[in-house]
Amino acid sequence: MAEEVQSRARRSSPTERPVALITGASSGIGLATATRLADAGWQTLLSGTDRARLDAIAERTGGRALPEDLSKPDGPARLAEAALAETGRVDALIASAGLGWRGPFAETPSDTLDRMIEVNLAAPLRLVRLLLPGMLERRRGRIVLVGSMAGQVGVREESGYAATKGGLAMFAESLWYELRGTGVGVRLVLPGAVDTPFFDRRGTPYQRERPRPVSAERVADAVVATITTGRDRLYVPHWLGFPARIHGVAPGVFRRIASRFG
């Protein structure tokens, strides 16, 4: 399948406008990012599982709906093939689709854990594997991975989710070293709590008084900034970089503070 996707990319004619493939585009960060990029003149390929919402967003933004279930192991390959068949190339991959669950790890439903691993971690890796060769051949492209602070410092009763986002962060870090000088950039966006349907879908509402959730539009602004500037890692809001640094240099101190304040 990977060889077929890459061959299709070489045969297809490119479009004039830059092309962005956005996963999780039917709501939240993905939707906000699609809107921002469309306003900036990008051609957007919108992926998600809600066909009706994707069609409505595509009509509003001038994008193209490519519904796909990334929880299926062959979902990323089907999506990459559909994207390249539509436009001939992908200049920016924005992997913003994500699932969560909160509760004791021993009580995590097995199917929920499997879906988190597939959507949050495996699907971005598979999509990058399929789309990266074309970017390298053209010597330009952007891979934007939407991670989470949970993947940087860990969060009580979100072990499975934090593990998937931590894996995504290490993938971004390793790939950044590998792609230096190739013209292809790797970007990692690290939001804290975001005001999206994510918490409703995970089954537990956001319960902390602080930090307050930021808007999806604020995260989308960071995503667009990583594409158009040289910054390869952005925290949203920016001050979250401070606790991440404390965790890095003094993990014991960080754990004591986090245990006290929850």
Side-chain angles (χ1 to χ4, degrees):
M1 179 65 77
E3 290 77 9
E4 293 175 6
V5 170
Q6 293 159 23
S7 176
R8 186 184 296 271
R10 287 191 290 269
R11 295 196 306 267
S12 302
S13 299
T15 59
E16 293 182 0
R17 292 186 293 160
V19 179
L21 172 59
I22 306 158
T23 69
S26 58
S27 65
I29 296 169
L31 169 57
T33 300
T35 302
R36 291 286 196 268
L37 289 175
D39 290 344
W42 285 66
Q43 182 171 355
T44 56
L45 304 176
L46 313 171
S47 183
T49 56
D50 191 326
R51 180 59 191 256
R53 286 184 59 84
L54 286 177
D55 285 340
I57 296 160
E59 183 176 359
R60 188 165 74 245
T61 62
R64 176 71 172 174
L66 300 177
E68 189 55 70
D69 186 356
L70 295 181
S71 70
K72 306 297 183 183
D74 58 348
R78 289 197 301 265
L79 176 57
E81 184 175 17
L84 294 175
E86 184 68 31
T87 59
R89 73 172 193 269
V90 172
D91 299 301
L93 168 65
I94 294 93
S96 63
L99 301 173
W101 191 83
R102 181 177 176 83
F105 184 71
E107 299 175 12
T108 309
S110 294
D111 61 335
T112 299
L113 181 60
D114 290 345
R115 283 174 57 81
M116 280 197 296
I117 293 171
E118 287 293 335
V119 174
N120 298 0
L121 181 58
L125 267 65
R126 291 181 176 126
L127 282 170
V128 171
R129 172 63 187 87
L130 292 165
L131 298 175
L132 179 58
M135 294 181 181
L136 289 172
E137 185 176 327
R138 295 186 299 274
R139 296 194 63 80
R140 67 179 184 274
R142 291 290 182 269
I143 297 164
V144 183
L145 305 172
V146 179
S148 170
M149 274 298 291
Q152 298 292 292
V153 301
V155 178
R156 178 187 298 164
E157 295 195 339
E158 293 188 44
S159 303
Y161 175 75
T164 62
K165 291 300 187 177
L168 195 66
M170 288 302 99
F171 173 61
E173 181 81 6
S174 301
L175 197 60
W176 182 86
Y177 293 117
E178 182 178 329
L179 297 181
R180 288 189 68 187
T182 66
V184 181
V186 182
R187 311 296 192 236
L188 182 64
V189 178
L190 296 162
V194 186
D195 186 11
T196 71
F198 172 88
F199 293 104
D200 294 333
R201 291 172 183 161
R202 77 173 186 178
T204 305
Y206 185 73
Q207 299 170 328
R208 298 173 183 266
E209 292 186 5
R210 285 186 173 81
R212 300 307 305 162
V214 300
S215 68
E217 288 74 19
R218 188 169 175 182
V219 181
D221 288 339
V223 170
V224 174
T226 64
I227 295 174
T228 58
T229 69
R231 302 186 65 180
D232 54 71
R233 179 177 293 227
L234 280 178
Y235 293 91
V236 187
H238 294 306
W239 64 263
L240 287 177
F242 179 67
R245 286 191 291 273
I246 294 177
H247 181 271
V249 300
V253 173
F254 180 90
R255 290 190 189 112
R256 287 194 294 272
I257 296 172
S259 296
R260 179 176 179 183
F261 294 101

